[in-house]
Amino acid sequence: VGTLDNIEQRGILNVCTYYNTTDYYVYKGVPKGFHYDLAKDFADYLGVKLHIDVSSNIEECLRELNEGKYDLVAMSLSVTDDRKEQINFTLPLFNTSKVLVQNKRQDSLIRDMQDLRGKEIFVQEGTTYKSFLRELSDSLQLDLKITEVEYLTYEDILLQVEKGELPLTVIDKNIAQIAGQYMTHIDYSLELSEAEPVAWAVSARANHLLLEVNQWLESIKKQEKFPVLYNRYYKSSFVTSLHNSKYYKLKNGVISSFDPMIKKEAEKIGWDWRLLASVIYQESGFDPEATSN
């Protein structure tokens, strides 16, 4: 029995993604995000329900994909030869380059890759940025010090650069562009690579599921919905208002005054607490006195 057959039999598509303002988040009890909206559309296409788990470690997520915990990894994955040996990439969602992110308020900004010589760059653990920087350092003899940061998302790291707590990081350009709308002190003008494809992943064995995802992707990318979603989450000023809202915080979200209770109960049933909060919001609007019609 293949992965696609298992999904149809259980009636659930198990997906791993990030929790951030582009991939997946819950705002006022409603799930949102570029990759969430697309994954929901694909689940509807298959005629099954969507189950979301969040992870801040990509490599762990990909390993659990091959172990069968997840059917799909729906996040902005860089397509690399090393990863191709472990998993199946879908057709590209879009292309983006890698950029250096630094604080505008420092004495002198780095404008050329040669000026990176001997610098320390902080990147999220479990991403391809470390191997990318190692290759860049070797090819240009930059002697870079590359430090992986545990337990932080790329938004956390960007925020620390914004505050001057970390000196440098590397991120995809489209992410830096949207972060720059609400992190006004970051500079991302130095591009370190050409534009490269970004895709989702299925396990190395899930050939039928891969064909199904690619068929759906080919169809949706021809529709108006795809560019509308991309512009909403990567180019829209809505993200700025989101970060100014009391209902959203960078690291774990603030959804309601019932968050501690929801987290406790969600852990008992093995759900992402944000997803449980969204169900409660849809049913009652967080009104304890609400009753069913």
Side-chain angles (χ1 to χ4, degrees):
V1 179
T3 304
L4 184 59
D5 298 309
N6 282 328
I7 294 169
E8 292 172 345
Q9 287 175 12
R10 80 172 86 98
I12 297 173
L13 177 69
N14 291 317
V15 172
C16 180
T17 189
Y18 274 141
Y19 189 83
N20 54 45
T21 46
T22 54
D23 292 17
Y24 162 67
Y25 61 94
V26 179
Y27 181 68
K28 293 186 177 180
V30 181
K32 295 178 180 291
F34 176 75
H35 293 292
Y36 170 81
D37 284 354
L38 286 177
K40 181 67 169 64
D41 191 277
F42 179 59
D44 291 343
Y45 169 84
L46 293 179
V48 299
K49 295 180 180 179
L50 176 65
H51 175 79
I52 293 284
D53 277 348
V54 294
S55 174
S56 60
N57 189 310
I58 296 177
E59 295 308 317
E60 179 181 347
C61 202
L62 294 178
R63 184 180 68 254
E64 291 176 333
L65 175 72
N66 274 333
E67 291 172 354
K69 180 177 180 179
Y70 303 117
D71 307 309
L72 180 69
V73 174
M75 58 178 69
S76 298
L77 295 172
S78 298
V79 179
T80 67
D81 291 336
D82 287 343
R83 283 178 174 171
K84 285 180 181 178
E85 295 178 1
Q86 307 170 41
I87 56 173
N88 278 323
F89 282 107
T90 66
L91 292 174
L93 296 166
F94 51 82
N95 294 329
T96 190
S97 58
K98 292 179 176 62
V99 295
L100 180 76
V101 181
Q102 52 193 321
N103 191 298
K104 291 178 181 178
R105 294 173 293 186
Q106 60 189 1
D107 294 336
S108 59
L109 291 175
I110 297 170
R111 298 299 188 189
D112 188 275
M113 281 192 272
Q114 291 297 333
D115 296 332
L116 282 171
R117 185 167 282 106
K119 301 291 186 181
E120 182 174 14
I121 302 179
F122 293 81
V123 296
Q124 182 182 355
E125 183 184 35
T127 65
T128 59
Y129 297 126
K130 181 178 181 179
S131 58
F132 165 76
L133 286 170
R134 187 184 291 125
E135 291 175 6
L136 184 70
S137 181
D138 292 344
S139 63
L140 298 180
Q141 298 182 330
L142 297 177
D143 192 29
L144 294 175
K145 182 180 179 182
I146 307 156
T147 302
E148 288 189 298
V149 184
E150 294 182 309
Y151 310 120
L152 293 181
T153 68
Y154 63 71
E155 281 188 328
D156 297 322
I157 297 173
L158 286 172
L159 185 61
Q160 290 194 19
V161 174
E162 155 83 359
K163 293 178 177 178
E165 297 171 359
L166 290 178
L168 302 167
T169 190
V170 170
I171 200 69
D172 290 349
K173 184 177 180 179
N174 63 332
I175 294 173
Q177 287 174 324
I178 195 66
Q181 292 190 24
Y182 55 90
M183 298 184 190
T184 56
H185 297 301
I186 63 170
D187 175 274
Y188 52 88
S189 58
L190 181 58
E191 295 196 28
L192 304 178
S193 74
E194 299 293 329
E196 300 169 334
V198 167
W200 287 353
V202 300
S203 83
R205 303 180 303 276
N207 295 319
H208 290 163
L209 176 60
L210 179 65
L211 290 172
E212 202 73 30
V213 175
N214 285 341
Q215 180 175 313
W216 164 80
L217 262 179
E218 283 185 330
S219 173
I220 197 171
K221 288 183 74 174
K222 295 176 183 177
Q223 303 171 24
E224 186 179 356
K225 181 176 182 177
F226 189 88
V228 167
L229 284 177
Y230 185 88
N231 290 336
R232 179 186 301 164
Y233 294 110
Y234 289 106
K235 295 184 178 181
S236 172
S237 59
F238 169 73
V239 175
T240 302
S241 62
L242 172 67
H243 279 266
N244 292 330
S245 169
K246 67 179 180 179
Y247 294 104
Y248 184 87
K249 298 296 179 185
L250 270 177
K251 189 167 181 63
N252 58 5
V254 175
I255 298 172
S256 75
S257 59
F258 302 102
D259 287 1
M261 184 187 306
I262 295 172
K263 290 177 182 179
K264 181 179 178 181
E265 297 305 317
E267 186 175 356
K268 292 180 181 178
I269 60 175
W271 279 33
D272 172 14
W273 74 272
R274 291 160 286 237
L275 187 59
L276 178 58
S278 72
V279 173
I280 295 172
Y281 179 82
Q282 292 296 331
E283 293 294 327
S284 68
F286 296 123
D287 179 2
E289 305 300 323
T291 57
S292 301
N293 293 328

